[in-house]
Amino acid sequence: MAELVWQDALDTGIDVIDGQHRRIVDMINQLERAQHARARETLSGVLDELVDYTLSHFAFEEALIEEAGYPFSAAHRRVHELFARRVQEYRLRMQAGEDIGAELHAMLGRWLFNHIRYDDQAYSETVKQHLNGFARQHEHGGWLRRNVVRFFR
């Protein structure tokens, strides 16, 4: 299976979100390399790190779109919850000894790119407008800075 390649068309125009998405792509590619090397312990560790980082990203993104007043923030949160459950099922299968690496990599890439193209692009204008107005009001920090520090330090 080939590694995922970031495409500029996936950019939301929200730098912090785009950076987080790129990091998730890098981690999915680490999974692929661990699978290819048959490094089961590494695969497990990368999967744990990917899940932890992705859940932090989801929490940050959900807080951001809620703060921006995105009308479909509850539905977006639900999509994240369903995805987290799906990944947890893969983790359990892997812990039970099943070889899920290739299947997991394919699912993660497909899901992530589709989620960004449709679900995340849908909120991007609302969030960008909110952040631009917010930045003008709070030029020296505030909500965005506090939450980046909270979730990603």
Side-chain angles (χ1 to χ4, degrees):
M1 178 139 293
E3 288 195 359
L4 300 177
V5 177
W6 185 262
Q7 304 158 16
D8 290 342
L10 295 169
D11 286 335
T12 62
I14 305 164
D15 291 343
V16 66
I17 295 295
D18 293 337
Q20 292 169 9
H21 287 158
R22 282 185 174 94
R23 176 71 178 118
I24 293 169
V25 167
D26 289 343
M27 294 171 100
I28 293 170
N29 286 331
Q30 287 176 17
L31 278 177
E32 170 64 15
R33 289 188 291 275
Q35 172 68 16
H36 184 71
R38 302 270 186 235
R40 187 167 172 74
E41 225 173 271
T42 303
L43 181 68
S44 179
V46 172
L47 181 56
D48 289 344
E49 183 182 354
L50 173 63
V51 168
D52 183 56
Y53 187 86
T54 301
L55 292 176
S56 293
H57 164 71
F58 286 170
F60 177 81
E61 186 178 84
E62 291 163 8
L64 181 63
I65 65 177
E66 190 173 311
E67 176 73 24
Y70 181 60
F72 303 107
S73 60
H76 198 93
R77 178 178 291 114
R78 181 78 175 128
V79 168
H80 287 167
E81 290 168 356
L82 292 171
F83 175 75
R85 273 194 231 135
R86 191 170 177 193
V87 171
Q88 182 58 24
E89 290 170 9
Y90 277 99
R91 287 172 90 179
L92 293 173
R93 288 173 53 196
M94 188 176 75
Q95 289 168 356
E98 193 174 336
D99 182 8
I100 53 94
E103 182 184 344
L104 177 61
H105 181 269
M107 184 280 293
L108 290 172
R110 221 177 17 257
W111 186 90
L112 180 65
F113 284 2
N114 283 329
H115 181 69
I116 294 169
R117 279 186 189 105
Y118 302 106
D119 299 321
D120 291 352
Q121 291 292 348
Y123 72 65
S124 67
E125 282 307 312
T126 301
V127 169
K128 286 189 286 189
Q129 288 175 7
H130 175 74
L131 290 176
N132 288 337
F134 196 82
R136 284 190 298 274
Q137 291 175 354
H138 305 282
E139 289 185 38
H140 301 292
W143 183 90
L144 182 61
R145 185 170 194 275
R146 282 193 315 273
N147 281 291
V148 167
V149 169
R150 186 173 119 207
F151 289 112
F152 296 100
R153 273 235 177 167

